[in-house]
Amino acid sequence: MELLSPEIKDLGDFTARRSLPSEVRTTVGPFIFFDHLGPATFPPGKAVDVRPHPHINLATVTYLFEGRLMHRDSVGSVQEIQPGAVNWMNAGRGIVHSERSPEDTRDTTATLHAIQTWVALPDDQEESDPWFRHYAADELPTWESQGATVKLIAGSFRDRTSPVQAASPILYLDVQLAPGGTFTLPPEVPERAVYSVTDGLLLDGQAPPQHRMAVLPADQTVTIAATAASRCVVIGGESVGPRQKWWNFVSSRPERIEKAKEDWKMGKFPVVPGETAFIPLPDDSVETYGPLM
């Protein structure tokens, strides 16, 4: 079992922990980006305002534990996401989106606790048409067994399949465990990892620290157990091959990232209807943390 320590970014009002990509591992299955945001509390007058920014050749997946966010994008989508639901945005050849706190939360105390992931698209889908889908919390398979409450965010697990439209074989689970609860994770996909949202977890008897991603051995059944009420996220799937990442751009082809940089700089990406602000292209000499949504 390989433990990945997150890169921690203090964003003033909340903390972001990035486990993927890391110095020692860039992907788990098709997942190339994994951010844990918060938990955070925003006093009245404070809000999330991620201005429009571009993506190519990937899908963004937003999943909330707490809070609410409003998504807008250049294909015309306007969608609020709430806890337990999924926003899946397929960037394909290029899309622009923003993520902001809903207007009715800005004058009150609000919370945010979320997982933001990017999924690299297979080679033959990198330049597909962009699209967006929202899946309500009650659309996703959810079940209880042996002290575990499990939600299948995307992919298939045993005899259950999520309605979320993924581009390649994938596994994405939200697992909440009561004290003494257990959840068995068979090797159904080639690559898997468990992220410890909380303390209190045991992976085959080993206790990963909170906020660590444990990359699991291939072809091995792993038992997740809880010494206290705890939560983890499971990701995995089949690799789509080597990918490069720069700022918001992911691609199998370095020249495609260079073209995306030039297109954003020259204003050639589509716009988000009703929004005029945007995040400028960072300077190449500056290490880019990337967006938070």
Side-chain angles (χ1 to χ4, degrees), residues 190-275:
E191 298 182 7
R192 301 162 300 159
V194 176
Y195 178 78
S196 53
V197 178
T198 68
D199 279 324
L201 294 168
L202 294 174
L203 304 180
D204 279 350
Q206 299 181 55
Q210 186 181 14
H211 304 148
R212 295 295 186 273
M213 180 171 285
V215 181
L216 306 180
D219 303 321
Q220 181 176 315
T221 296
V222 172
T223 298
I224 304 172
T227 59
S230 55
R231 190 173 204 164
C232 64
V233 168
V234 178
I235 61 170
E238 294 183 8
S239 172
V240 296
R243 289 296 184 270
Q244 296 193 27
K245 175 187 175 294
W246 187 90
W247 192 43
N248 308 335
F249 304 135
V250 165
S251 183
S252 63
R253 298 152 292 155
E255 67 275 10
R256 183 64 179 91
I257 290 179
E258 293 305 312
K259 183 179 186 303
K261 290 159 69 173
E262 184 65 20
D263 286 348
W264 184 244
K265 187 186 300 183
M266 300 303 294
K268 293 182 178 180
F269 272 83
V271 300
V272 178
E275 299 222 32

Side-chain angles (χ1 to χ4, degrees), residues 81-101:
I81 184 172
Q82 298 184 1
V86 171
N87 275 2
W88 183 291
M89 186 182 75
N90 210 71
R93 65 174 179 268
I95 199 168
V96 178
H97 75 137
S98 66
E99 296 281 356
R100 301 182 186 275
S101 298

Side-chain angles (χ1 to χ4, degrees), residues 19-228:
S19 298
L20 291 175
S22 73
E23 292 183 355
V24 296
R25 192 176 184 104
T26 58
T27 61
V28 173
F31 288 87
I32 194 168
F33 178 101
F34 187 103
D35 261 11
H36 178 196
L37 309 178
T41 300
F42 298 91
K46 292 283 189 178
V48 174
D49 276 306
V50 181
R51 293 167 290 161
H53 56 276
H55 295 287
I56 61 164
N57 295 185
L58 58 85
T60 69
V61 189
T62 303
Y63 183 77
L64 303 186
F65 299 136
E66 297 176 44
R68 295 159 54 200
L69 285 170
M70 184 65 73
H71 165 98
R72 292 181 174 86
D73 63 41
S74 55
V75 298
S77 311
V78 179
Q79 177 65 57
E80 181 179 295
I81 184 172
Q82 298 184 1
V86 171
N87 275 2
W88 183 291
M89 186 182 75
N90 210 71
R93 65 174 179 268
I95 199 168
V96 178
H97 75 137
S98 66
E99 296 281 356
R100 301 182 186 275
S101 298
E103 289 300 324
D104 64 352
T105 67
R106 291 172 178 259
D107 295 328
T108 62
T109 299
T111 60
L112 177 67
H113 192 194
I115 300 291
Q116 177 77 20
T117 58
W118 294 354
V119 177
L121 298 179
D123 291 359
D124 62 354
Q125 296 186 46
E126 284 190 312
E127 299 299 326
S128 57
D129 292 340
W131 52 263
F132 171 84
R133 303 279 188 278
H134 173 79
Y135 302 87
D138 60 8
E139 295 181 66
L140 305 179
T142 304
W143 67 98
E144 296 183 2
S145 177
Q146 297 182 313
T149 300
V150 186
K151 184 182 288 287
L152 180 56
I153 299 170
S156 296
F157 183 81
R158 295 190 169 172
D159 59 346
R160 298 175 172 89
T161 299
S162 169
V164 172
Q165 182 181 341
S168 63
I170 194 173
L171 178 64
Y172 194 178
L173 298 164
D174 176 13
V175 182
Q176 298 183 72
L177 294 148
T182 62
F183 177 69
T184 302
L185 189 61
E188 293 188 343
V189 294
E191 298 182 7
R192 301 162 300 159
V194 176
Y195 178 78
S196 53
V197 178
T198 68
D199 279 324
L201 294 168
L202 294 174
L203 304 180
D204 279 350
Q206 299 181 55
Q210 186 181 14
H211 304 148
R212 295 295 186 273
M213 180 171 285
V215 181
L216 306 180
D219 303 321
Q220 181 176 315
T221 296
V222 172
T223 298
I224 304 172
T227 59

